Amino acid sequence: MAINIVSTKTFNGPSVFHSEPAIVITINSSRDTWDTIKKNVDTLKNLLSSWFSWQPANNSSSEEKVAGIISSLSKSILCEIRGELKSFYRTCKDKNIILVFEYYDSKMIIESVQLVISLLLQQKALDSEETISQIKKFWSKCIQYHPDFQAQFLINYCKDNNIPFGKYFSSGKIWRYGWGKRSRLFFESSPLEDSRLGSNFASNKQLSKAIFFKLGAPTPEGVIVSNGFHLDDIVKKIGYPLVTKPADRGRSVGVTTNINNVNHLQTGYNYAKKHSSGDVIIEKHIEGEVYRLMVVRGKFWGAFRRNRPYVIGDGTSSIENLVRLKNKLVTKKIKPGSFIGPIPMDSSFYSFLNEQGLKSNSVPAIGEKVLVRKIPLLSEGATYENASESIHSDIKSLSESLAKSFGLDVCGIDYISNNISSSCFNSGGYFLEINGTPGLRVPLMAGVEKSEIAKTILGELPARLPTILIVSENKLDNNILDVVKSYLSCGWVNKDITGIGKMVFPERFSSVKSGLERLISNHIITEIFITCTSEEIKKNGLPINLCDISILNTAQNLEADWEQVIKQHSINFHKGIDSEIIIKHIHSLFQ
């Protein structure tokens, strides 16, 4: 009994297998494979039940069952931490299994299939700890090659709106949306246009506060300390209540609020220091609700209130049981590594209830709202609510001023106030910090549609460019190439030669797709012209997923299914036309 990978084939663009870039893996398995691996399948389903489920279709053959479990489990392991990929399979007459996967990195697909096969073929009983360890080790690689939540958010919008996208480097977190002059680069939710100096300012909380003060934006008085020996002096200078927090962390990690005595201050300082790679900030504690203000391209976009974790009474359940029920619903939505978490029932939970004169077994009345955490952390069950309609114009104006002064194209500003409808100069509202890569999960949790968020962040620029594809084994007519080169911002690929206008790059690329990748990464190009052979297309797939004009001028008979692929990914398709007509098409599209 065996499951062997017979071959792998990577298509960089549409092919007869899939309309998107895909890797095709051919697997051979013996007739008795399913009966042999069924026990391990059941073990894996139980072990991974919190995020993986699979059931073979009724009346499916043993080969189909083997194909189904490998395809489904490989995709689930690939996407559980990061990414959203499609996979499917088919079985052939010779009993081979064809697996087809979309990919961010083809090597990761092969590795995931190999991992699943090794688990299924395990001779000894699967050890739960060892199995989870293997999967987590693979997940650590997924983090390098797959898009994080922010990037996936934007990618999904691009897919839905026919906007091309791709990784700027093979690994890392830089993604490109659009082509050439119609493209933008992003790191998570932060675009290339962000000022590097401003981003450095934003990451330094103390420097940020100094800029807030200089611009007239109210901010709590505070100091930065490197050790705990000056705490008494700080108390004399600022006075209680106080807040301690790491100078280099976000998302309220390591924060202690409402400090009212020196022992509590020392504890808060130690807690902040534990979560900091450097200094600790001690500042005046301000009572109020925390808001995330988002500014995009210099304009205020939204205000989102972060609500402290709470439960709503039903008249019969205790606070503790209400929290358990809420956590059960939340936990189903949490992926490993997510910033969202359930409400902890720890000492802070019981202490905060006690401050309110409540106990964990208290039963709130129907509709009664009970706060269960003092600090609104997403990792501890906090939620967001849209408050954009209530914000005062002074707060809007200052948030726009801060974003422009820091040079941030997209940013999130944390603001605290008891009344966001009143001016920050009258209501005791304060600006706390500014973030250059704001979480897109915030407006999503507050009820803003995914498409609206992504469109706002990306803007109108990202798009594809006018594109012509010629498929021919013959040498391109020099007259055609001269016309193409006359458009000085046209990026062109002539089989293995690439250029922009009259400029020709000296390298010879191994594939048309490689040359094209250089072109679409150049922000000066405004049109694309491609020539390639039919063999190149059958080997690597179409170099581009949508052409304005595709011309099939090959002397060889291209198989009908491949010709159909070209037609499906072309707005206008022509076959067997001469140079003069091709030149007319170039002028009509590029002018």
Side-chain angles (χ1 to χ4, degrees), residues 457-477:
I457 300 301
L458 286 173
E460 300 293 336
L461 181 66
R464 58 182 64 252
L465 297 175
T467 304
I468 295 176
L469 169 67
I470 297 179
V471 182
S472 175
E473 269 64 41
N474 300 324
K475 182 181 178 182
L476 185 67
D477 187 322

Side-chain angles (χ1 to χ4, degrees), residues 11 55 75 82 171 197 199-200 260 314 327 333 341 392 403 418 474 498 536 550 560 571 575:
F11 293 96
Q55 191 64 36
K75 186 186 78 168
R82 287 183 174 178
S171 63
L197 185 62
S199 296
N200 289 337
N260 283 292
D314 60 9
N327 283 347
K333 304 176 183 178
H392 192 275
N418 280 314
N474 300 324
T498 301
E536 163 85 14
S550 292
I571 296 173
K575 193 172 181 179

Side-chain angles (χ1 to χ4, degrees), residues 216-235:
T219 189
E221 183 182 4
V223 296
I224 191 163
V225 293
S226 301
N227 58 65
F229 296 108
H230 305 294
L231 298 184
D232 288 339
D233 293 338
I234 293 168
V235 172

